[in-house]
Amino acid sequence: MNEKLYNKASKADFSKILVNKGYAYFNKGKYNLNIIGIRNAGNNITNKFDDIIVVEYIDVYGIKTREIFSATTDPGLSNIKKPLSRKGCAILVPGQYRGCWTIGYHKGKYEALVQSKPVKVYRDGDLDNTYDFNPKTIEEGIYGINIHKAGNNSTIVNGWSAGCQVLANRRDFDKLMKLAHRQYSNGYGKTFTYTLINEEDL
């Protein structure tokens, strides 16, 4: 876990941050999830799970609850060095993507939040050790940018992400999926909104 980022996120007012950016923040009903990724500052490739994913919601008792999970919002070094696309590796562009994920199967193997509507990605194709957030490379489409898990407690990203948003810890991911099912069973739909912001936004 990136302790510095964790501490910032634990004190942040995400409702204010999101609304100030013109984004939706869901505060009505139980298990109406706000899933928020926070990208670590800088563009050097650490190949570590040094970003976080925050989930905020109202629990069954009516209490506002915040979960903070160790994650990566960036692709791993192996996929940057050998991208799946000739255009370059996909890196999700910060923003709010309304209803762009649904419960499905990641690579047909296990339940995850799978991309179901277009999102924006940068294309990093120069094969170096920095992420290129070049606006000129942005494209929009369905690229399999899923929200899924790594191993039991992974520390190195490498092949776990080629643009996906990936939780480092299996138990954290299981908790996220349980919350996703609770959103659905509480009548808030089977699609999920994901908002990606930068550390500087906190």
Side-chain angles (χ1 to χ4, degrees):
M1 177 74 77
N2 181 335
E3 295 295 335
K4 178 182 158 200
L5 195 53
Y6 177 92
N7 290 335
K8 284 185 177 181
S10 65
K11 298 170 186 174
D13 184 343
F14 287 103
S15 61
K16 186 178 288 184
I17 290 168
L18 266 57
V19 169
N20 285 346
K21 283 182 162 291
Y23 299 158
Y25 180 87
F26 308 117
N27 56 11
K28 293 180 181 177
K30 294 171 183 174
Y31 298 104
N32 193 2
L33 304 183
N34 295 280
I35 306 174
I36 305 158
I38 303 163
R39 178 171 284 156
N40 186 34
N43 66 341
N44 290 330
I45 299 176
T46 64
N47 212 28
K48 296 178 181 178
F49 289 88
D50 52 7
D51 304 324
I52 58 175
I53 289 177
V54 174
V55 185
E56 283 199 346
Y57 58 95
I58 306 298
D59 74 7
V60 68
Y61 303 108
I63 298 170
K64 185 176 179 179
T65 303
R66 176 180 298 179
E67 309 277 2
I68 303 177
F69 303 132
S70 180
T72 183
T73 66
D74 306 308
L77 182 61
S78 60
N79 282 305
I80 286 287
K81 293 288 192 180
K82 196 173 182 180
L84 299 175
S85 169
R86 56 184 173 77
K87 298 178 183 177
C89 192
I91 306 173
L92 189 64
V93 176
Q96 182 168 76
Y97 299 96
R98 293 289 297 270
C100 288
W101 282 266
T102 190
I103 296 173
Y105 281 83
H106 177 63
K107 295 185 176 179
K109 294 179 180 177
Y110 61 87
E111 266 196 348
L113 299 182
V114 301
Q115 186 192 355
S116 56
K117 290 182 182 177
V119 300
K120 292 180 179 178
V121 298
Y122 302 107
R123 287 292 179 183
D124 183 344
D126 62 4
L127 313 182
D128 65 6
N129 290 323
T130 60
Y131 294 118
D132 295 322
F133 306 127
N134 183 351
K136 292 180 180 177
T137 68
I138 292 175
E139 60 181 25
E140 188 169 5
I142 295 180
Y143 309 111
I145 305 293
N146 297 340
I147 302 173
H148 67 90
K149 65 181 176 181
N152 285 337
N153 192 20
S154 299
T155 57
I156 301 299
V157 179
N158 272 337
W160 288 117
S161 175
C164 290
Q165 313 294 283
V166 184
L167 279 71
N169 185 289
R170 178 181 57 82
R171 288 184 180 178
D172 288 347
F173 178 75
D174 289 346
K175 186 180 290 185
L176 172 63
M177 292 309 297
K178 183 181 280 188
L179 291 171
H181 279 285
R182 284 189 173 170
Q183 173 177 301
Y184 179 56
S185 63
N186 275 272
Y188 291 101
K190 58 183 179 180
T191 63
F192 298 84
T193 294
Y194 177 66
T195 308
L196 177 62
I197 62 175
N198 291 313
E199 180 178 354
E200 296 88 345
D201 294 317
L202 298 182

